Amino acid sequence: MVKNLYDNRLAVNIGGLKMLTPVTTASGTFGFGLEFQDFLDLEKVGAVTVKGTTLEPRAGNKGQRAVETPAGMLNCVGLENPGAEYFLQETLPKLKMINVPIIVNIAGNTPEEYGELAKKLDVEGVDAIEINISCPNVKQGGLAFGTCAISAVQVVEAVKANTSKPVITKLSPNVTDIVEIALAVEKAGSDAVSLINTLLGMKIDINKQKPILGNVMGGLSGPAVRPVAVRMVYQVAQAVQIPIIGMGGIMCAADAIEFLLAGASAIAVGTGNFCDPRLAETISHGIIEYMDAKGISNIHDMIGKALPNR
Amino acid sequence: MVKNLYDNRLAVNIGGLKMLTPVTTASGTFGFGLEFQDFLDLEKVGAVTVKGTTLEPRAGNKGQRAVETPAGMLNCVGLENPGAEYFLQETLPKLKMINVPIIVNIAGNTPEEYGELAKKLDVEGVDAIEINISCPNVKQGGLAFGTCAISAVQVVEAVKANTSKPVITKLSPNVTDIVEIALAVEKAGSDAVSLINTLLGMKIDINKQKPILGNVMGGLSGPAVRPVAVRMVYQVAQAVQIPIIGMGGIMCAADAIEFLLAGASAIAVGTGNFCDPRLAETISHGIIEYMDAKGISNIHDMIGKALPNR
Amino acid sequence: MSKTMVDAKVVCQIVLSEDVKLIEVFAPDIACIAQPGQFVNVQVSKQAAPLLRRPFGVAEVNREKGTFTMIYRIMGEATKILANICNNDFINIIGPLGHGFSLNAKRPLLVGGGLGLAPLVYLAQSFSKDSVEIVMGGRTAKELFWTELFSDKVNIMHITTDDGSQGTKGTVNAVLPQLLKSGKYDCVYVCGPVPMMQAVAKVVETAGIPCQVSLEKYMACGLGACLSCSCGGVGKRLKVCTDGPVFWSTEVEEW
Amino acid sequence: MSKTMVDAKVVCQIVLSEDVKLIEVFAPDIACIAQPGQFVNVQVSKQAAPLLRRPFGVAEVNREKGTFTMIYRIMGEATKILANICNNDFINIIGPLGHGFSLNAKRPLLVGGGLGLAPLVYLAQSFSKDSVEIVMGGRTAKELFWTELFSDKVNIMHITTDDGSQGTKGTVNAVLPQLLKSGKYDCVYVCGPVPMMQAVAKVVETAGIPCQVSLEKYMACGLGACLSCSCGGVGKRLKVCTDGPVFWSTEVEEW
Ligand SMILES: Cc1cc2nc3c(=O)[nH]c(=O)nc-3n(C[C@H](O)[C@H](O)[C@H](O)COP(=O)(O)OP(=O)(O)OC[C@H]3O[C@@H](n4cnc5c(N)ncnc54)[C@H](O)[C@@H]3O)c2cc1C
Ligand SMILES: Cc1cc2nc3c(=O)[nH]c(=O)nc-3n(C[C@H](O)[C@H](O)[C@H](O)COP(=O)(O)OP(=O)(O)OC[C@H]3O[C@@H](n4cnc5c(N)ncnc54)[C@H](O)[C@@H]3O)c2cc1C
Ligand SMILES: Cc1cc2nc3c(=O)[nH]c(=O)nc-3n(C[C@H](O)[C@H](O)[C@H](O)COP(=O)(O)O)c2cc1C
Ligand SMILES: Cc1cc2nc3c(=O)[nH]c(=O)nc-3n(C[C@H](O)[C@H](O)[C@H](O)COP(=O)(O)O)c2cc1C
Ligand code: FES
Ligand code: FES
């Protein structure tokens, strides 16, 4: 491990997961990390969060899966993935050769399935589990778990009981009160929360007079949603004690800094990876520049700086 | 009244309110209409929805009230308005001289206040009441009513009991299940629903390390939110029988058509008025052009065309 | 005096300093009626981002040519795009907007700082040269390209810079009290950063001279419709975009 | 053969028809390794909208000059912006991406329709002129500016137009079965609208000749990371952006 990457000024601890910079990647937007090696040095990213993984392989949704919207995009990939077994056999060995923490994003149809998956992934090379209870693109599970505190708690408990790894719960923004859900999963033992997943949206082809996406609705991401994401991080940061990974429309260091000031201890680059595949690396340099300009020696001195009474 | 404006091809009836074109203006973005007379002919707009009105005058929020975001804007005007009395004495007489239906958007602190306001406005010249139970920018009332079906119903009942005008309930998008609220207000007697109001968001000044808006959070509007708005209209249209006024990021005729296809019987231009003050008039021409190109003779033949099984 | 929306052809852009440019546009409908102190609302792009128009003061008017100019600092997204627009391209402009300066003064004193000097160019143009004096505040000598713009429009220029690199060292208030003592001026016009305008207004009011200030607030519509730009006036709310941007200093309570 | 991201200088743009343009960019890192059938992902603007890059096939390569060209139809927001980019301006490009055509054929037949002809230009360039034949389908004669582009690269051109205004009336399948009967070709390369590719693949497969097709799917990343472009292959999922865009027609199940 490059022990003093960024002179240790950016190091954070997300519920037990040590990251040398607060910058990670948003699940589903960075593949397994390997796809980006032509553009950046994965070891300079704080952690790589890989594509949502399920027990069995999934084919995902049919029809068009992505479409651009103003300053954003909709996707309905629908958790296409080769399954946990394939991940463990084929992908993890490759990831192990790289010196960067790996967060595995998991999804299931029942709390039990989440638990089973967590147990399977409780192996060397997996550094943390991110529970996706907020995917808007699958019929069973997914979003339904994330919009109700009771079922969210069941999933978190099932995962916690089956893993020794830090557990991050990824929250859905499609709720009336995200603070309520955040508090519930904190109480259930989640070591951190990440937010936001995508906002449910859709687009219609006015020529064909039909929804554009194969799955009709999809998840909205990108800069368009950033104001909503920053607001939710700011609200959750005032309620919970566990660390927050903030995401939603981060396209440059300034955007990342907004989330840190709002109370996120780490941030994830999502849709921004598509626009600039180097972003997950270069953003750390931008944060350092900002800290230098502001005379901030350690990242912890700026986390939550924009919260009331700080 | 210009009886066959647009050859009557665009005429719609929104819960008793007759509009010669489905295009109205979103409350708070068009002042009292009079501000736009240098740019368009108000009589060619389907209805003018005026700025949110309260019983007493309100000064609104302090500090910066608006800021641009990617493909959108945040505002925290906070219902600044001169009060119902002033509206009735000073503004309504001017509006009466124009041959266009007037929808008055109202807000209050209690269901009783909404009722009182509705009674006061039950006068000639006011053609419909839009109940704002979804303003994110005021502490009392506002959003709180809109995120809970029970209180939303109380407000609708109070208004219905005090007015002879068609009642439109404006729904908040900041909820887990907008369909539930829409069904509840329909049952409570609302003659139509309008959606969406703004999404709660915020922006931080990374230089000052403080929220930019005086009220910290504000309402996100503009093209950024359109995918969320279209999705909600599409969901609500499949559940309720009453007509829907769709809005959220409409910037051109194509956007308006998306909402009509999703099941809205009318649409409102909001933030788009700031970019093109003629939009509320020109959009009708764009809809006609589309209808001609598609061989659609009457607007009703395209409303809801993108819904399942149509 | 009605507002219009026009596609204005860019006549030319001139670099005034590292980050300040002047743009001249052909828009006779606006140029022919714009008053000093009024502004326009400019759409720099047809894309969804940047979304809103941007307000800029009218800096100079040439009615014969049907053109007017704006002087702008390159700040963020919109002004960066504006700075790259080529001659003969079109930009959509709404104007003239707002309520300009009172032009009744016989012996006006103009006081401006930073980009606040832009609308004062047209204001100076509107008085007879012999009657106008101006106090110009800047950060360093480098920013004082303004002297050239004003040289043929005012009688006397008083210059201050924060670092003393040109004129008197300090803010405009370093020279103002002395100047006011002369009793020469019957109206003072101020445009610049809020703290500067507040400080100047105080001094001018104390000297018993009427004072006009030009406010800047974040604006979404520029038409008096959205209330983004509202501020507290004495006894009533003011909309900076329609009631202002120019106010008598005594009208404004919450700057 | 690694992917790079470069700021490519626009060398020139040429109008090919009412709504089709050719753009040549200087990007030696991409030009020197790009293979026929590969594509690039172009960022047309730094603003938040349009947000995503847009994929375009590599149409011609000039390794000595370090340039390559793309031929594009002006469709929506991004291509409109692209069409207005001036010579010497820079656009950010990622490439080369994907998996190109097999170049092993001795007697190749190229079949293209609409903008699908773009990547076939480079493919034709890569064979010896005498060995290549092409079938070009178009809507009307007006769209057949392609003949000029291909004239010095292929031996024989077979032309079809929907309205019969040039060549044989009908789609490419109006001439294809006849051509295949000759037994001349050892590989057919198809690029165009999906229904056309499916129809051609069927005829070619029936004739027992290997057939490559170039798919188009909406792409967000172009790097195999987002799974926007995934489609059903025989026995496994395929990513059009990395496993393709060129596939053997028999590999694809869900077009
Ligand atoms: C009545 C009025 C007259 C003005 N006249 C001039 C002028 O003559 N010359 C000049 O250089 N500037 C003038 N400004 C300021 C000018 O509008 C901003 O500099 C410009 O909008 C910056 O846009 P941007 O996208 O480049 O920068 P951003 O990064 O968006 O913003 C930079 C700064 O400009 C402010 N700003 C951005 N958008 C607006 C808006 N819609 N309304 C008000 N402020 C905004 C922001 O609050 C921020 O402080 C005037 C402003 C007003 C309200
Ligand atoms: C591998 C590949 C190679 C291509 N090569 C060429 C080419 O050589 N010449 C050419 O003219 N076109 C090519 N295209 C299509 C081209 O990408 C679209 O025409 C372009 O993106 C349109 O963008 P727009 O903003 O102008 O139009 P929009 O209005 O955004 O879209 C117009 C059409 O283009 C499609 N489109 C838009 N964005 C994308 C995207 N990110 N990925 C895929 N499709 C998209 C839309 O689905 C729609 O059908 C190729 C597409 C792919 C996937
Ligand atoms: C194409 C795509 C696929 C995604 N897949 C997943 C996923 O598998 N699991 C998950 O938790 N989130 C997934 N997300 C959500 C992102 O991780 C992230 O929460 C969201 O996109 C907001 O961040 P952004 O605006 O920076 O993209 C996906 C997003 C996109 C755009
Ligand atoms: C500046 C501003 C003020 C608004 N004021 C009100 C209001 O008083 N009452 C209300 O119901 N909605 C208000 N809204 C919400 C709009 O009516 C509309 O629902 C929302 O902006 C979404 O539409 P848009 O994206 O087209 O702007 C306001 C919106 C803006 C931008
Ligand atoms: S900017 Fe809209 S009221 Fe002044
Ligand atoms: S476009 Fe992202 S995987 Fe192909």
Side-chain angles (χ1 to χ4, degrees):
Chain A
M1 180 93 33
V2 197
K3 267 287 166 342
N4 62 352
L5 188 61
Y6 309 114
D7 299 331
N8 267 327
R9 292 170 65 188
L10 299 187
V12 293
N13 184 320
I14 302 298
L17 173 71
K18 288 184 184 139
M19 293 165 51
L20 286 169
T21 134
V23 183
T24 176
T25 59
S27 175
T29 66
F30 203 65
F32 295 99
L34 306 165
E35 295 86 345
F36 283 75
Q37 281 187 304
D38 281 335
F39 302 98
L40 49 67
D41 179 355
L42 288 175
E43 306 198 352
K44 297 222 172 108
V45 176
V48 168
T49 309
V50 301
K51 175 75 203 146
T53 296
T54 52
L55 265 184
E56 302 301 324
R58 291 207 191 173
N61 289 317
K62 290 211 182 284
Q64 188 169 333
R65 289 183 171 189
V67 66
E68 183 164 320
T69 67
M73 63 173 283
L74 290 164
N75 90 81
C76 62
V77 170
L79 289 181
E80 170 173 343
N81 81 95
E85 205 47 53
Y86 183 96
F87 172 75
L88 290 169
Q89 299 304 321
E90 303 292 327
T91 317
L92 195 57
K94 289 182 203 148
L95 291 175
K96 274 191 189 165
M97 297 169 62
I98 303 161
N99 211 342
V100 64
I102 300 296
I103 305 174
V104 182
N105 179 279
I106 62 168
N109 295 330
T110 58
E112 294 68 40
E113 224 178 281
Y114 277 96
E116 202 178 322
L117 201 44
K119 184 176 257 162
K120 239 192 162 109
L121 291 165
D122 198 20
V123 297
E124 202 217 307
V126 172
D127 298 285
I129 295 291
E130 181 177 58
I131 313 180
N132 180 2
I133 49 165
S134 45
C135 180
N137 296 324
V138 290
K139 295 238 158 54
Q140 280 187 297
L143 187 54
F145 288 120
T147 56
C148 159
I150 299 170
S151 54
V153 162
Q154 288 171 345
V155 173
V156 173
E157 286 174 349
V159 172
K160 278 298 286 183
N162 282 287
T163 185
S164 61
K165 315 283 177 188
V167 170
I168 304 155
T169 307
K170 184 152 176 189
L171 306 179
S172 168
N174 300 295
V175 295
T176 308
D177 185 3
I178 194 163
V179 170
E180 180 204 345
I181 316 268
L183 285 169
V185 301
E186 175 180 45
K187 218 172 143 202
S190 192
D191 302 296
V193 285
S194 57
L195 56 148
I196 59 175
N197 209 316
T198 51
L199 281 164
L200 196 57
M202 75 182 282
K203 186 168 174 178
I204 291 169
D205 182 330
I206 67 165
N207 195 30
K208 297 189 188 145
Q209 307 191 324
K210 288 276 162 252
I212 287 181
L213 294 181
N215 203 37
V216 181
M217 296 177 198
L220 182 65
S221 63
V225 310
R226 192 165 63 235
V228 174
V230 171
R231 181 264 293 183
M232 289 184 163
V233 166
Y234 184 88
Q235 290 178 314
V236 171
Q238 290 172 71
V240 302
Q241 306 298 319
I242 51 178
I244 297 168
I245 305 179
M247 72 193 81
I250 294 177
M251 305 299 286
C252 63
D255 300 343
I257 292 163
E258 224 185 309
F259 280 87
L260 295 167
L261 296 172
S265 298
I267 60 95
V269 178
T271 303
N273 293 311
F274 308 155
C275 305
D276 175 4
R278 293 186 192 149
L279 192 57
E281 179 180 336
T282 54
I283 233 168
S284 294
H285 302 285
I287 297 175
I288 290 273
E289 270 172 39
Y290 172 84
M291 288 167 61
D292 286 345
K294 289 271 169 197
I296 300 169
S297 57
N298 190 285
I299 190 86
H300 288 98
D301 298 334
M302 61 183 274
I303 292 169
K305 238 336 195 15
L307 292 169
N309 314 320
R310 300 244 186 139
Chain B
M1 181 91 39
V2 197
K3 269 284 163 349
N4 62 353
L5 188 60
Y6 310 113
D7 298 331
N8 266 330
R9 291 172 65 190
L10 299 186
V12 293
N13 184 321
I14 303 298
L17 173 71
K18 288 183 184 138
M19 292 165 51
L20 286 169
T21 134
V23 183
T24 177
T25 59
S27 175
T29 66
F30 204 63
F32 295 98
L34 307 165
E35 294 85 345
F36 283 74
Q37 282 187 303
D38 282 336
F39 302 98
L40 50 67
D41 179 354
L42 289 176
E43 307 198 352
K44 298 219 173 111
V45 176
V48 168
T49 309
V50 301
K51 174 75 203 149
T53 296
T54 52
L55 265 183
E56 303 301 325
R58 290 205 191 175
N61 288 318
K62 290 210 183 286
Q64 188 169 334
R65 288 183 171 187
V67 67
E68 184 164 319
T69 66
M73 64 173 282
L74 289 165
N75 90 81
C76 63
V77 169
L79 288 182
E80 171 174 343
N81 82 95
E85 204 49 51
Y86 183 96
F87 172 76
L88 290 169
Q89 300 303 319
E90 304 292 327
T91 316
L92 194 57
K94 288 182 204 148
L95 291 175
K96 274 190 187 165
M97 295 169 63
I98 303 161
N99 211 342
V100 64
I102 300 296
I103 304 174
V104 182
N105 178 278
I106 63 169
N109 296 327
T110 59
E112 293 70 38
E113 227 179 278
Y114 277 96
E116 204 179 321
L117 201 44
K119 184 175 255 165
K120 237 191 164 112
L121 291 166
D122 197 20
V123 297
E124 201 215 309
V126 172
D127 298 285
I129 296 291
E130 182 177 59
I131 313 179
N132 180 1
I133 50 165
S134 45
C135 180
N137 296 323
V138 291
K139 297 239 157 52
Q140 281 186 295
L143 186 55
F145 288 119
T147 54
C148 159
I150 300 169
S151 53
V153 163
Q154 287 172 347
V155 173
V156 172
E157 286 175 347
V159 172
K160 278 298 285 184
N162 282 285
T163 185
S164 61
K165 314 283 177 187
V167 170
I168 304 155
T169 307
K170 185 153 176 186
L171 305 179
S172 169
N174 301 293
V175 295
T176 307
D177 184 3
I178 196 164
V179 169
E180 180 204 345
I181 316 268
L183 285 170
V185 302
E186 175 180 47
K187 214 169 148 206
S190 192
D191 302 296
V193 284
S194 56
L195 56 150
I196 60 172
N197 208 317
T198 52
L199 281 164
L200 196 58
M202 75 182 282
K203 186 169 175 178
I204 291 169
D205 182 330
I206 67 165
N207 195 30
K208 296 190 187 145
Q209 307 191 322
K210 290 274 161 254
I212 286 180
L213 294 179
N215 204 37
V216 180
M217 296 177 198
L220 182 65
S221 63
V225 309
R226 192 165 63 234
V228 174
V230 171
R231 181 264 294 183
M232 289 185 163
V233 167
Y234 183 87
Q235 289 178 315
V236 171
Q238 290 173 72
V240 302
Q241 305 299 320
I242 51 178
I244 297 169
I245 305 179
M247 73 193 83
I250 294 177
M251 306 299 286
C252 63
D255 300 343
I257 292 162
E258 222 184 311
F259 280 87
L260 295 167
L261 296 171
S265 298
I267 60 93
V269 178
T271 303
N273 293 309
F274 308 154
C275 305
D276 176 3
R278 291 186 193 147
L279 192 57
E281 179 179 336
T282 53
I283 229 166
S284 295
H285 302 286
I287 297 175
I288 290 273
E289 269 171 42
Y290 173 84
M291 287 166 62
D292 287 345
K294 289 269 168 198
I296 300 169
S297 57
N298 190 285
I299 189 86
H300 289 98
D301 296 335
M302 61 183 274
I303 292 170
K305 241 331 194 22
L307 293 169
N309 315 320
R310 301 246 185 139
Chain C
M1 281 252 311
S2 75
K3 303 156 191 164
T4 47
M5 178 162 80
V6 296
D7 280 319
K9 191 187 245 188
V10 175
V11 177
C12 68
Q13 295 223 52
I14 299 171
V15 176
L16 296 182
S17 81
E18 209 186 327
D19 59 352
V20 180
K21 280 184 108 171
L22 178 150
I23 186 169
E24 181 176 359
V25 296
F26 177 73
D29 292 350
I30 296 175
C32 291
I33 57 172
Q35 297 293 313
Q38 287 191 303
F39 68 99
V40 295
N41 219 352
V42 179
Q43 183 174 57
V44 299
S45 120
K46 301 278 179 199
Q47 312 308 320
L51 179 69
L52 298 175
R53 290 169 179 270
R54 294 294 193 274
F56 296 100
V58 173
E60 270 180 300
V61 166
N62 186 326
R63 293 203 175 154
E64 277 113 74
K65 271 173 78 183
T67 66
F68 70 91
T69 68
M70 295 166 269
I71 299 172
Y72 63 97
R73 169 161 289 147
I74 301 169
M75 300 276 292
E77 224 183 342
T79 45
K80 261 177 216 148
I81 295 174
L82 189 60
N84 283 323
I85 290 178
C86 302
N87 294 354
N88 300 318
D89 278 359
F90 288 86
I91 48 178
N92 189 282
I93 302 185
I94 293 179
L97 299 175
H99 184 101
F101 292 106
S102 150
L103 300 176
N104 296 330
K106 295 275 166 294
R107 301 176 311 280
L109 178 66
L110 281 47
V111 182
L115 263 290
L117 286 160
L120 299 184
V121 179
Y122 187 20
L123 180 62
Q125 226 184 15
S126 307
F127 291 117
S128 85
K129 183 186 164 177
D130 293 345
S131 70
V132 195
E133 289 183 28
I134 188 166
V135 183
M136 298 195 283
R139 267 175 280 170
T140 69
K142 214 174 56 181
E143 282 193 14
L144 289 166
F145 56 83
W146 295 102
T147 48
E148 259 179 62
L149 277 166
F150 280 103
S151 61
D152 61 342
K153 296 183 189 70
V154 301
N155 195 16
I156 308 182
M157 276 190 252
H158 310 273
I159 296 173
T160 67
T161 49
D162 291 356
D163 61 1
S165 55
Q166 193 178 351
T168 308
K169 181 172 174 164
T171 68
V172 292
N173 267 335
V175 300
L176 208 59
Q178 194 62 31
L179 286 174
L180 295 178
K181 267 194 204 140
S182 70
K184 272 205 286 196
Y185 316 106
D186 62 350
C187 190
V188 178
Y189 301 90
V190 202
C191 188
V194 166
M196 173 209 175
M197 291 196 288
Q198 285 180 314
V200 169
K202 209 169 137 192
V203 175
V204 177
E205 285 170 23
T206 310
I209 302 169
C211 180
Q212 285 203 316
V213 294
S214 179
L215 299 193
E216 255 187 41
K217 282 258 177 184
Y218 204 98
M219 294 182 178
C221 74
L223 304 173
C226 73
L227 301 179
S228 295
C229 68
S230 160
C231 78
V234 176
K236 61 171 179 191
R237 302 290 309 175
L238 302 171
K239 293 178 199 172
V240 173
C241 70
T242 45
D243 298 328
V246 177
F247 296 99
W248 293 105
S249 61
T250 48
E251 284 179 283
V252 188
E253 209 166 73
E254 165 205 306
W255 290 68
Chain D
M1 281 249 316
S2 77
K3 304 156 189 162
T4 47
M5 178 163 81
V6 297
D7 280 319
K9 192 187 245 188
V10 174
V11 176
C12 68
Q13 295 222 51
I14 299 171
V15 176
L16 296 183
S17 82
E18 210 186 328
D19 59 353
V20 179
K21 281 184 110 171
L22 177 151
I23 186 169
E24 182 177 359
V25 296
F26 177 73
D29 291 351
I30 296 175
C32 292
I33 56 173
Q35 297 294 313
Q38 286 193 303
F39 68 98
V40 294
N41 220 352
V42 179
Q43 183 175 56
V44 298
S45 119
K46 301 278 176 199
Q47 312 308 319
L51 179 68
L52 297 175
R53 291 169 179 269
R54 294 293 194 274
F56 297 100
V58 174
E60 269 179 301
V61 166
N62 187 327
R63 293 205 174 151
E64 277 113 77
K65 271 174 80 184
T67 66
F68 70 90
T69 68
M70 295 166 269
I71 299 173
Y72 63 97
R73 169 160 288 147
I74 302 169
M75 299 277 292
E77 224 182 343
T79 45
K80 262 178 214 146
I81 295 174
L82 189 61
N84 283 323
I85 289 178
C86 302
N87 294 354
N88 300 318
D89 277 359
F90 287 87
I91 48 177
N92 189 281
I93 302 185
I94 292 178
L97 298 175
H99 185 100
F101 293 105
S102 150
L103 300 177
N104 296 331
K106 294 275 168 292
R107 300 177 311 280
L109 177 67
L110 281 45
V111 182
L115 263 291
L117 287 161
L120 299 185
V121 179
Y122 186 21
L123 180 62
Q125 226 183 15
S126 307
F127 291 115
S128 86
K129 184 185 163 175
D130 292 346
S131 69
V132 195
E133 289 183 28
I134 188 166
V135 183
M136 298 195 281
R139 266 174 283 171
T140 69
K142 213 173 58 181
E143 282 192 15
L144 289 166
F145 55 83
W146 294 104
T147 47
E148 260 180 61
L149 277 166
F150 280 103
S151 60
D152 62 343
K153 298 182 187 71
V154 301
N155 194 17
I156 309 182
M157 276 189 254
H158 309 273
I159 295 174
T160 68
T161 49
D162 291 355
D163 60 3
S165 55
Q166 194 178 349
T168 309
K169 184 172 172 161
T171 68
V172 292
N173 267 337
V175 299
L176 208 57
Q178 194 62 32
L179 288 174
L180 295 178
K181 268 194 204 138
S182 70
K184 272 206 283 194
Y185 317 106
D186 61 351
C187 189
V188 178
Y189 300 91
V190 202
C191 188
V194 167
M196 172 208 174
M197 290 196 289
Q198 285 179 313
V200 170
K202 208 169 137 192
V203 175
V204 177
E205 285 170 24
T206 309
I209 303 170
C211 180
Q212 285 204 313
V213 295
S214 178
L215 299 194
E216 256 189 39
K217 281 259 176 181
Y218 205 98
M219 293 183 179
C221 75
L223 304 173
C226 74
L227 301 180
S228 295
C229 67
S230 160
C231 78
V234 175
K236 61 171 179 190
R237 304 287 310 172
L238 302 170
K239 294 178 198 172
V240 174
C241 70
T242 46
D243 298 326
V246 177
F247 297 98
W248 293 105
S249 61
T250 48
E251 284 179 283
V252 188
E253 208 166 73
E254 165 206 307
W255 291 68

